[in-house]
Amino acid sequence: MVPIKGDGERDFKEMKSSLVHTRDDIVQKISKNGKEKIELKNKRFTASIGEGVENFKKMFYAQAKKKEYHSAKKVILLTDRATWISKIKEEYFSKAIHILDWYMMVDYLCKTTNALFREKNTLKCEEVGK
């Protein structure tokens, strides 16, 4: 949620974003100090604030088409697996591999361990999530 300031009041709108790239867009470089770094070239970014799923999914799909995702051997979606995202995956990217992102995985694991061991150790969960 993103805070939006309007007529003397603060409101919150949901922000949706996507980043589309191909394997060829990943460039490995060595920095001046000798460390390896990875850059993404020619990436396609989409974002919308408070516009709903329908508008966002059309923009996201358009960016994927520009990157010629239909001809890709492998398509991966890295998401928090929200229901609306899973529906987009099934509608537009049915053969894609769907991977749960790190922060949601840690959140799910913490909730599971808290339920299993009846112990809330939020500090440990926060450390793992960093």
Side-chain angles (χ1 to χ4, degrees), residues 6-126:
D7 301 327
E9 294 184 22
R10 188 167 63 173
D11 192 14
F12 289 88
K13 303 269 184 187
E14 184 176 25
M15 180 179 171
K16 296 172 177 57
S17 63
S18 69
L19 177 68
V20 179
H21 66 86
T22 68
R23 174 179 280 170
D24 294 336
D25 297 330
I26 301 170
V27 179
Q28 293 181 321
K29 293 185 171 186
I30 304 296
S31 66
K32 291 179 183 178
N33 62 5
K35 289 188 178 182
E36 184 178 323
K37 67 179 187 174
I38 297 174
E39 291 182 10
L40 285 178
K41 302 287 185 181
N42 306 313
K43 56 195 171 278
R44 309 294 302 189
F45 185 73
T46 303
S48 76
I49 297 176
E51 294 187 24
V53 173
E54 288 303 312
N55 192 34
F56 174 78
K57 79 177 182 179
K58 289 175 187 172
M59 293 187 301
F60 174 35
Y61 183 65
Q63 296 303 331
K65 280 175 59 176
K66 285 180 183 175
K67 293 304 287 181
E68 300 178 353
Y69 100 91
H70 288 297
S71 62
K73 291 180 183 176
K74 188 184 297 184
V75 175
I76 299 172
L77 293 178
L78 176 65
T79 76
D80 64 6
R81 297 203 63 147
T83 302
W84 67 270
I85 297 172
S86 295
K87 288 178 182 177
I88 290 173
K89 187 252 184 220
E90 290 309 314
E91 184 175 350
Y92 290 121
F93 309 100
S94 61
K95 295 181 181 175
I97 298 167
H98 202 171
I99 299 174
L100 182 65
D101 72 45
W102 172 258
Y103 296 101
M104 289 307 295
M105 182 209 47
V106 169
D107 185 53
Y108 289 145
L109 285 174
C110 286
K111 287 177 183 174
T112 302
T113 56
N114 289 341
L116 285 172
F117 301 111
R118 302 183 199 295
E119 176 184 325
K120 289 194 175 189
N121 194 337
T122 53
L123 287 177
K124 281 255 190 232
C125 289
E126 287 173 8

